[in-house]
Amino acid sequence: MNAPAPHRPIQALPDQLISQIAAGEVVERPSAVVKELLENALDAGSTQITVRLEEGGVKRIAITDNGRGIAPEQMPLALARHATSKIASLDDLENVNTLGFRGEALASIASVAAVTLTSRTADAPHAWEITGSHLGTVTPSSGAHGTTIDVRDLYFNTPARRKFLKSEQTEFGHCADVVRRIALARPDVSFSLAHNGKTVDHWMVGEMAKRSAQILGENFATARLPIDERAGPLRIHGYAGLPTASKARADGQYFYVNGRFVRDKVLMHAVRAAYEDVLHGDRFPSYVLALDLDPALVDVNVHPSKIEVRFRDSRAVHQFVFHAVQRALAQTSATSHGSVPSPLPAADGLTASTPWRPQEQTSFGSILNPDYQPTFSASPFGQPQRQFGDAGNHGGVAQSTERYGALFSGGSAFGARANFGIGGMDGADGGGADGVPAGTGAAGGTGNYALPQAAPYIASSAAMAAEEFPLGFALAQLHGIYIMAQNSKGLVLVDMHAAHERILYEQLKNALDAQVSGQDMQVQQLLIPVTFYADAVEVGTVQEHQETLQQLGFDIAALSPTTLAVRTVPALLKNADAQTLARDVLRDVREFGGSRVLIERRNELLGTLACHTAVRANRILSVQEMNALLRQMESTERADQCNHGRPTWVQVEINALDKLFLRGQ
């Protein structure tokens, strides 16, 4: 047991000790020194910065820039505590547009290391130098225009702190990460990084596209989507990586607010939510995104290292970022094995929720056999093949419709008998859609539905050369699971179940959104309110965000300081556990100003329904049906992945096949 601290009178701390205490917050390790000095260099208007490290930055950190420089009479102030040129009043603090502004960094660094500051302004005949602290003497020196800050022997006077540092390579790795993060935000500035006398990285002035490719790698460069959207005072720009560029770790995620790298939970949640339909839960997207907004709308002074921020309207920011990234990802309808996707217009007016009718596809008719007659319904698969042994496949179409149809009945959503272009979803009487004859099975859908045959597809060389259809044309079916197709680049392999699942899932979402568009949230009054124990934070959230909760379909009341009662829930989720649902919503509302719990739960149900309804493995498809599936994939949003995050297709280019068979070698 620790002995009680000795009793001492209250006294003012010496400046040196105050700076060392501040250094504990600002200078956690060498990388923190690199960050602070780089930010100062950028604030000085530098266009060229050199970083030199020795022994992971512990022995030496020297950063040279070509910025404005510091006048000799101001150099002692630069090393003094709470001295800065970047703010002068509270108004300046509330409208910070520089990376550094606290006026603590140099003083804190100088208190735990040997610091030499050399600087020369544009009009000065030579450079000036000061060593140690603000009490040092300014002397003439040599040097080019700009500033060099040389930090040696970090923590030489605080050996206890030095013991907590890791190995040389680990500390250098942290420093290199900081340099890359800052370099990524400023492609208009050249950066050079050297360690132990050897140049490690060097980036010339260029565009964001090139700088991000250099830092995140070529895999990201060939699998990313550009984003640039505005809404009022908000602008987001940068690149969102395709799901094919996802990683097992979240080390490819860079988000900047007014040029400052941040790890903000609101922004990270918004991006993650945008990816939820196209990415596995254990994979992490890569992205480089920058949010620009009025400095008065964001508080950057909430953390000593300025890695966290606080938005005045976090809900608006969350929704803006979420929708911007989601819209970009929705454009991925026909990409190729990690290559850059080109946003595809709906083929001749085809949309994800519109039945595909060959007679309306004028550009499609020229590549079909003249004798071709449509033999399938709005779904590319016509009436589904139903077998008594299908119970192993999640219970079959009829069972899944019966199980989930009740979720969409009533005034708030579509009925179970609504037709979404899914064979067999238009009722149990065996009738087909768009005048297509029903199969030969008995009413109730328990028979075997034979697929009608049609003339073969014939693709003209002109259509192939024009790349009018990126996924090409079907050749055959492999093991009853994959569709093999040929396009101008080579071979396309499609997982037919995963592809059809995405198509149906998007159709279900579009139909539900169209049904409830413009209507108030439909709610279900609970006969007996669900009460549960709640802590003070949850009770406070209910009291502060009552209007938001009502918009989400919840009526939650505080019965006591420790008890909440749920009186109404959204009708769509009336069968869910009210207590768990309410807790999840309260957590999201508290942290992000809104909640996506309802959308996530809804999409889970729709995804299950789509999975159960999609065509099964070992279903033999005609060439026409396979081609119809390819055409629907090309016009369906997010068609590159099923709603579980698995890829729906891959491209095998012709040169890869040539290598496989040693052609040309």
Side-chain angles (χ1 to χ4, degrees):
M1 186 173 180
N2 295 332
H7 175 71
R8 294 192 181 102
I10 298 173
Q11 57 186 347
L13 296 176
D15 284 347
Q16 176 72 5
L17 182 56
I18 291 174
S19 296
Q20 289 177 334
I21 293 173
E25 296 180 343
V26 178
V27 190
E28 299 173 291
R29 60 196 324 160
S31 60
V33 176
V34 173
K35 172 184 177 295
E36 296 290 346
L37 299 185
L38 283 178
E39 289 180 347
N40 282 342
L42 292 174
D43 286 341
S46 305
T47 60
Q48 184 177 342
I49 300 176
T50 301
V51 181
R52 290 169 291 163
L53 305 175
E54 293 182 15
E55 296 183 9
V58 178
K59 183 177 181 181
R60 186 186 187 197
I61 300 171
I63 295 183
T64 301
D65 66 61
N66 65 345
R68 289 185 293 270
I70 306 173
E73 64 273 13
Q74 292 189 330
M75 292 177 70
L77 272 176
L79 294 174
R81 291 178 54 246
H82 304 310
T84 178
S85 62
K86 300 168 187 177
I87 59 172
S89 66
L90 182 60
D91 289 340
D92 293 337
L93 184 62
E94 293 176 349
N95 293 274
V96 172
N97 54 14
T98 56
L99 296 176
F101 56 87
R102 288 171 174 265
E104 298 177 30
L106 286 178
S108 298
I109 295 168
S111 70
V112 292
V115 174
T116 299
L117 171 61
T118 305
S119 190
R120 179 182 177 184
T121 58
D123 57 351
H126 57 80
W128 295 84
E129 178 182 296
I130 183 172
T131 301
S133 68
H134 65 288
L135 301 177
T137 302
V138 180
T139 59
S141 181
S142 61
H145 294 149
T147 301
T148 296
I149 299 180
D150 198 340
V151 180
R152 294 177 182 267
D153 298 324
L154 189 62
Y155 300 131
F156 77 97
N157 56 355
T158 52
R161 176 68 59 80
R162 194 161 185 163
K163 292 179 182 178
F164 286 93
L165 297 179
K166 305 300 181 183
S167 67
E168 176 181 326
Q169 282 304 114
T170 298
E171 295 300 339
F172 169 70
H174 287 290
C175 292
D177 285 343
V178 167
V179 177
R180 294 187 185 107
R181 288 201 306 250
I182 293 178
L184 192 54
R186 295 295 302 271
D188 58 323
V189 178
S190 69
F191 290 83
S192 181
L193 172 63
H195 185 224
N196 293 337
K198 181 180 179 181
T199 299
V200 177
D201 285 314
H202 184 74
W203 302 291
M204 299 296 293
V205 173
E207 299 295 327
M208 174 59 76
K210 183 177 180 181
R211 181 67 60 86
S212 60
Q214 292 172 330
I215 294 179
L216 273 75
E218 288 303 317
N219 287 339
F220 179 79
T222 57
R224 64 187 180 187
L225 295 160
I227 296 177
D228 194 344
E229 291 198 19
R230 293 179 182 270
L234 304 177
R235 181 200 176 199
I236 185 171
H237 55 99
Y239 296 96
L242 289 170
T244 51
S246 64
K247 308 175 73 173
R249 297 187 301 165
D251 58 355
Q253 300 180 347
Y254 297 85
F255 213 118
Y256 301 87
V257 174
N258 289 345
R260 184 190 311 279
F261 176 81
V262 298
R263 288 197 182 97
D264 181 76
K265 61 183 180 181
V266 171
L267 299 176
M268 295 175 69
H269 182 272
V271 176
R272 186 69 187 179
Y275 275 91
E276 68 184 4
D277 261 2
V278 294
L279 202 61
H280 270 299
D282 58 349
R283 302 288 296 179
F284 297 91
S286 297
Y287 53 81
V288 180
L289 298 172
L291 178 67
D292 298 335
L293 72 166
D294 186 342
L297 300 178
V298 57
D299 184 3
V300 298
N301 192 28
V302 297
H303 192 276
S305 65
K306 300 184 288 290
I307 199 73
E308 299 175 6
V309 295
R310 182 184 296 118
F311 297 104
R312 180 173 295 180
D313 189 346
S314 60
R315 182 179 185 181
V317 171
H318 183 281
Q319 289 299 98
F320 172 69
V321 172
F322 165 75
H323 287 296
V325 177
Q326 187 187 51
R327 277 191 288 269
L329 294 174
Q331 297 173 357
T332 58
S333 55
T335 63
S336 58
H337 201 61
S339 65
V340 181
S342 55
L344 292 172
D348 298 301
L350 179 65
T351 64
S353 57
T354 302
W356 183 77
R357 298 182 175 88
Q359 62 268 28
E360 298 175 358
Q361 309 295 319
T362 55
S363 62
F364 194 55
S366 62
I367 59 174
L368 287 175
N369 185 299
D371 298 326
Y372 171 75
Q373 295 295 326
T375 59
F376 45 86
S377 69
S379 164
F381 302 105
Q383 293 295 341
Q385 198 173 29
R386 300 180 181 179
Q387 299 177 355
F388 289 106
D390 197 36
N393 288 331
H394 306 287
V397 175
Q399 182 178 342
S400 64
T401 304
E402 178 182 356
R403 179 183 303 174
Y404 296 102
L407 289 170
F408 313 116
S409 60
S412 63
F414 47 85
R417 294 173 61 87
N419 182 3
F420 304 104
I422 305 169
M425 283 291 290
D426 55 341
D429 58 0
D434 295 326
V436 179
T440 59
T446 57
N448 252 335
Y449 284 74
L451 286 169
Q453 298 302 311
Y457 251 88
I458 299 176
S460 68
S461 57
M464 292 290 288
E467 297 189 28
E468 189 173 0
F469 302 100
L471 294 182
F473 300 92
L475 300 174
Q477 194 174 6
L478 182 65
H479 288 290
I481 301 174
Y482 302 104
I483 295 172
M484 301 175 63
Q486 174 183 326
N487 65 1
S488 61
K489 296 181 180 179
L491 177 67
V492 172
L493 292 174
V494 177
D495 182 332
M496 66 182 194
H497 173 77
H500 193 208
E501 183 178 353
R502 168 58 71 179
I503 292 170
L504 300 184
Y505 178 56
E506 292 297 328
Q507 289 177 345
L508 286 167
K509 288 199 302 182
N510 291 341
L512 179 57
D513 291 341
Q515 189 75 12
V516 302
S517 178
Q519 299 181 13
D520 293 333
M521 172 68 70
Q522 297 296 316
V523 299
Q524 175 68 47
Q525 190 85 23
L526 299 183
L527 186 61
I528 302 176
V530 175
T531 61
F532 60 92
Y533 171 81
D535 58 30
V537 175
E538 290 174 324
V539 174
T541 302
V542 169
Q543 295 171 342
E544 293 175 18
H545 300 277
Q546 192 64 236
E547 183 178 349
T548 300
L549 292 172
Q550 289 176 354
Q551 291 174 353
L552 295 172
F554 287 90
D555 180 4
I556 305 177
L559 301 184
S560 75
T562 59
T563 306
L564 291 177
V566 183
R567 295 170 177 167
T568 65
V569 296
L572 186 63
L573 301 173
K574 62 184 179 183
N575 295 326
D577 180 79
Q579 176 180 335
T580 302
L581 191 61
R583 285 188 184 277
D584 290 344
V585 169
L586 290 176
R587 183 194 65 245
D588 274 11
V589 169
R590 181 173 65 252
E591 294 184 0
F592 313 115
S595 178
R596 286 193 48 79
V597 170
L598 307 185
I599 299 297
E600 292 167 2
R601 296 287 180 87
R602 182 201 76 171
N603 288 351
E604 286 176 9
L605 296 174
L606 297 185
T608 302
L609 181 58
C611 182
H612 289 185
T613 310
V615 65
R616 294 292 168 201
N618 300 319
R619 169 80 180 276
I620 305 302
L621 306 181
S622 69
V623 174
Q624 281 70 32
E625 290 175 313
M626 289 187 276
N627 278 308
L629 175 62
L630 299 180
R631 301 290 77 80
Q632 282 198 319
M633 289 176 64
E634 290 167 348
S635 62
T636 299
E637 294 181 346
R638 307 174 189 87
D640 288 346
Q641 293 82 26
C642 74
N643 46 298
H644 302 301
R646 294 189 297 108
T648 58
W649 70 286
V650 294
Q651 173 85 58
V652 183
E653 297 189 359
I654 196 69
N655 58 0
L657 295 173
D658 289 342
K659 287 183 179 180
L660 186 64
F661 291 97
L662 305 180
R663 290 182 61 86
Q665 298 185 19

